[in-house]
Amino acid sequence: MAEGEASESTDFDAVVVGAGFAGLYMLHKLRGAGFSTRVLEAGSGVGGTWYWNRYPGARCDVESVDYSYSFSPELEQEWTWSERYATQPEILKYLDHVADRFDLRRDIQFDTKVTSAHFDESAKRWLVRIEAGVTLTARFCIMATGCLSAPKLPEIEGVETFARATYHTGHWPHEPVDFTGLRVGIIGTGSSAIQSIPHIARQAAHLTVFQRTPNFSVPAWNHPLEPDYVAEIKSDYRARRELCRTSQAGFPVTAVGEAASVVAPDERQRRYEEKWAEGGLRFLGSFTDLLVDPASNETAAEFIRSKIREIVKDPETAAALSPRDYPAGAKRLCVDTGYYETYNRPNVTLVDLRKHPIERITEDSVVTAVDTYELDALIFATGFDAMTGALSQIEIEGAGGCTLKEKWNDGPRAHLGLTAAGFPNLFMITGPGSPSVLSNMVVSIEQHVDWITECMEHMRAEGLERIEPEPGAEDEWVELVSALAEFTLFPRANSWYRGANVKGKPQVFMPYVGGVYTYRQQCDEVAQSGYKGFSLA
Ligand code: FAD
Ligand code: N01
């Protein structure tokens, strides 16, 4: 069946919102378990993140061989990644392949934005309403809406008035964008900007980068994957996947390592050089205490700053690019290809907004207190209303008539980061309070999908109709998540992990920092105990 031509029925065992990594696997798994399922997706195709984020240079920062599904050994063997960090088109091709291979499209309704989901107490069903006004009903409602899927424009006066070409990295056009000969501006220097800036700089007549907060970035040293290397991984993929599942962050890490605080300065420097040469997010694994000990963290931060000084020729630009007021890794570490080098190009200017903030945007310019930058195209690399944004755009009303948005007024509250008290039979994949964005997301997604499916199977086997967490269990979980975060340096940065990038959003550190293995054990214990902390009816 073609995309958008899902079957006519409107009542299902489960409605799943979103067709990214999470929604696709959820559908496959529920179908395998015999649950009738409909996936509703706002986009015109599958892929989620990889459908929307088509900006030049977009790639994963977890190595492709690990940033992929593990649920099907056949899929694992037949798919071959071409690069260490796959490009957006390649990841999208993979997810399209998954949709075809497992015949998923016939249960996905595309171009379908969910506007509300209300729990009907008497019918014990979720009423899921879509933009066209149609209502679907289902016993279970599963939000696979993504943590980084609600793009955000900056709160700058006149932001809507720019009359020339504008783009948001998280909602990039499907047609190629050509910046040749243009004066281009980009606001933001997070991961999306850091990946796209080197590409845009090579095309544009001039690129002006508007930076408010510099980020720490480490090199990707991306390269094609040698057939021998791929064959070696495929020969024992199971073991590699198991390492991911039993790790802290979902990467196949074996060594435990030592603390930077107990290592001599020369040895520390040697280790940082080694990790820098290796490239990628594992830099933060150079030592075990980098995200808990401020003094140790400062050694890593200073190492990265020294690299910036080495690479960037203009000392003033190098200083502006060097983060100084938050620990390395407390905001998501960026992984780049030639980012700092780009500032040596004559056609690239860095504007330090800490010195002169943007005052307003006009129909053709970005205006600071001291300069007016006339531009032909303006790119917003200004990120997302992360973790709760997509959920709060849907009016989700629980059993007592309270909405999730109201419940989360002072910050998200979700038991295990999966379920919310007052919202029976509602699941959130990689929700706030789970490891999600602090991990290889595919590992976390698969774990949640498996847990949800087992829970639904258990309910069916026991003749149960309704599950929801007990408020006390939820409170304990929320406290645990917050207490664990306080042990670390994460709360010391104004990051989207804490909701700090959205005006008025409660400042609560949202992900669970205890690691994917510990978290998995906690979820498994709950299931094995017959769902302790949940009320089942
Ligand atoms: P998404 O892929 O975000 O899919 C959610 C889907 O839900 C979207 O298609 C959206 O349209 C749909 N949706 C939302 N609301 C509604 C609604 N109301 N109605 C209908 N549909 C709706 N993570 C990593 O672990 N490693 C990486 O290397 C990595 N790279 C990333 C690069 C970029 C540019 C970005 C933005 C994120 C990256 N991430 C990475 C995080 C990434 O979001 C996850 O890895 C993963 O793709 C999330 O899958 P998902 O299915 O949970 O959510
Ligand atoms: O968004 P961001 P992103 N005036 O929020 C700036 C994943 N991802 O899309 O820090 C001026 O990180 C803001 O400045 P500040 C990854 O998890 C992964 O880049 O608020 N500037 C910041 O510099 C990542 O963390 C990859 O001071 C303003 C930028 O906009 C997450 O997605 C690639 C502003 C936003 O950065 C989000 O990344 C891409 C204003 N008013 C994304 N408002 C990989 O590499 C905001 N900014 C795999």
Side-chain angles (χ1 to χ4, degrees):
M1 196 175 291
E3 290 188 355
E5 283 182 42
S7 70
E8 291 302 309
S9 172
T10 57
D11 185 54
F12 302 91
D13 292 324
V15 160
V16 177
V17 188
F21 265 104
L24 290 179
Y25 180 43
M26 192 76 245
L27 170 59
H28 174 67
K29 193 79 187 177
L30 289 180
R31 204 193 262 170
F35 291 105
S36 64
T37 306
R38 170 67 58 86
V39 176
L40 305 174
E41 167 55 57
S44 306
V46 301
T49 290
W50 305 103
Y51 172 87
W52 297 108
N53 291 261
R54 295 167 187 249
Y55 60 82
R59 333 177 151 260
C60 51
D61 63 3
V62 170
E63 295 183 27
S64 323
V65 291
D66 301 315
Y67 188 66
S68 50
Y69 290 120
S70 72
F71 70 82
S72 162
E74 297 78 21
L75 170 67
E76 231 164 42
Q77 292 300 323
E78 75 198 17
W79 185 266
T80 298
W81 294 104
S82 68
E83 292 179 77
R84 181 182 187 186
Y85 298 105
T87 59
Q88 172 271 328
E90 189 173 5
I91 302 171
L92 185 58
K93 198 169 156 201
Y94 170 76
L95 289 170
D96 269 318
H97 169 73
V98 169
D100 292 334
R101 191 192 190 286
F102 298 100
D103 188 22
L104 299 177
R105 293 179 208 273
R106 65 186 158 89
D107 288 321
I108 308 176
Q109 200 169 311
F110 294 97
D111 301 307
T112 301
K113 187 157 185 149
V114 172
T115 53
S116 69
H118 291 189
F119 186 71
D120 178 346
E121 187 71 72
S122 54
K124 294 191 183 57
R125 299 193 94 67
W126 280 93
L127 312 182
V128 181
R129 207 171 162 80
I130 61 180
E131 247 171 7
V134 179
T135 300
L136 276 61
T137 55
R139 168 139 301 150
F140 295 94
C141 180
I142 302 170
M143 294 298 177
T145 44
C147 293
L148 295 159
S149 53
K152 196 191 152 291
L153 283 174
E155 282 122 10
I156 299 174
E157 186 191 321
V159 67
E160 308 284 357
T161 60
F162 191 80
R164 298 176 179 175
T166 60
Y167 306 91
H168 191 292
T169 49
H171 200 158
W172 198 263
H174 286 211
E175 313 72 45
V177 178
D178 187 3
F179 292 113
T180 308
L182 301 184
R183 292 162 300 174
V184 181
I186 183 164
I187 299 180
T189 46
S191 299
S192 303
I194 281 175
Q195 284 189 329
S196 56
I197 282 169
H199 291 259
I200 297 164
R202 285 197 286 273
Q203 258 191 6
H206 196 91
L207 176 65
T208 307
V209 179
F210 297 94
Q211 172 191 271
R212 189 165 63 185
T213 311
N215 257 293
F216 290 98
S217 188
V218 295
W221 307 129
N222 184 44
H223 54 76
L225 291 179
E226 296 297 329
D228 286 355
Y229 173 77
V230 174
E232 192 191 317
I233 286 178
K234 286 189 179 182
S235 71
D236 200 8
Y237 229 140
R238 297 293 86 207
R240 190 175 176 103
R241 300 296 197 185
E242 193 51 25
L243 269 181
C244 291
R245 281 190 277 266
T246 52
S247 69
Q248 168 76 16
F251 310 144
V253 179
T254 38
V256 174
E258 49 195 342
S261 58
V262 301
V263 169
D266 283 2
E267 169 56 14
R268 215 160 43 208
Q269 185 72 8
R270 194 198 60 74
R271 186 84 57 87
Y272 286 138
E273 289 288 1
E274 192 180 283
K275 286 286 178 185
W276 185 268
E278 205 179 293
L281 293 172
R282 291 185 201 193
F283 181 82
L284 282 176
S286 303
F287 297 102
T288 52
D289 57 349
L290 294 185
L291 286 166
V292 289
D293 180 337
S296 294
N297 187 281
E298 179 53 24
T299 64
E302 185 45 35
F303 177 84
I304 299 177
R305 289 193 289 261
S306 75
K307 289 292 180 190
I308 299 173
R309 288 192 294 273
E310 255 174 48
I311 300 168
V312 179
K313 290 188 183 134
D314 174 43
E316 204 183 324
T317 306
L321 287 167
S322 300
R324 295 213 168 263
D325 54 5
Y326 63 92
K331 280 179 175 231
R332 169 87 173 197
L333 186 68
C334 300
V335 178
D336 73 276
T337 299
Y339 174 63
Y340 294 120
E341 289 82 349
T342 301
Y343 291 93
N344 295 332
R345 294 177 66 99
N347 70 332
V348 176
T349 309
L350 180 71
V351 177
D352 186 350
L353 300 178
R354 294 229 163 149
K355 287 189 181 148
H356 305 292
I358 297 173
E359 289 194 337
R360 63 187 181 282
I361 293 175
T362 66
E363 58 180 22
D364 58 9
S365 303
V366 170
V367 182
T368 68
V370 291
D371 272 307
T372 295
Y373 300 87
E374 190 184 341
L375 303 165
D376 303 307
L378 179 56
I379 300 165
F380 298 107
T382 45
F384 303 87
D385 181 353
M387 307 204 68
T388 56
L391 290 168
S392 61
Q393 284 174 15
I394 304 172
E395 188 191 78
I396 304 171
E397 191 182 293
C402 173
T403 65
L404 195 67
K405 210 171 162 183
E406 286 160 357
K407 177 182 163 94
W408 287 3
N409 238 341
D410 298 325
R413 307 186 69 75
H415 186 40
L416 303 177
L418 256 168
T419 58
F423 296 80
N425 299 358
L426 178 83
F427 295 105
M428 293 164 282
I429 301 179
T430 64
S434 72
S436 68
V437 292
L438 293 183
S439 67
N440 171 354
M441 288 281 274
V442 186
V443 172
S444 290
I445 284 168
E446 288 194 325
Q447 185 242 335
H448 269 186
V449 168
D450 292 346
W451 193 92
I452 293 166
T453 310
E454 275 167 36
C455 175
M456 287 170 59
E457 286 178 315
H458 169 80
M459 289 174 68
R460 183 174 56 192
E462 300 291 320
L464 298 164
E465 289 190 326
R466 180 181 159 131
I467 182 167
E468 86 177 273
E470 289 160 3
E474 181 175 273
D475 289 346
E476 275 175 33
W477 186 258
V478 171
E479 274 166 35
L480 174 75
V481 170
S482 152
L484 287 174
E486 287 306 320
F487 270 117
T488 73
L489 303 179
F490 280 111
R492 299 195 187 190
N494 289 326
S495 64
W496 58 257
Y497 294 140
R498 275 180 48 196
N501 64 329
V502 179
K503 204 174 167 190
K505 190 165 170 172
Q507 302 268 312
V508 174
F509 190 82
M510 294 181 278
Y512 167 95
V513 301
V516 297
Y517 184 48
T518 311
Y519 175 76
R520 178 185 295 269
Q521 287 177 314
Q522 284 167 304
C523 290
D524 288 350
E525 275 165 25
V526 168
Q528 282 152 15
S529 69
Y531 298 91
K532 188 163 174 268
F534 285 87
S535 66
L536 290 123

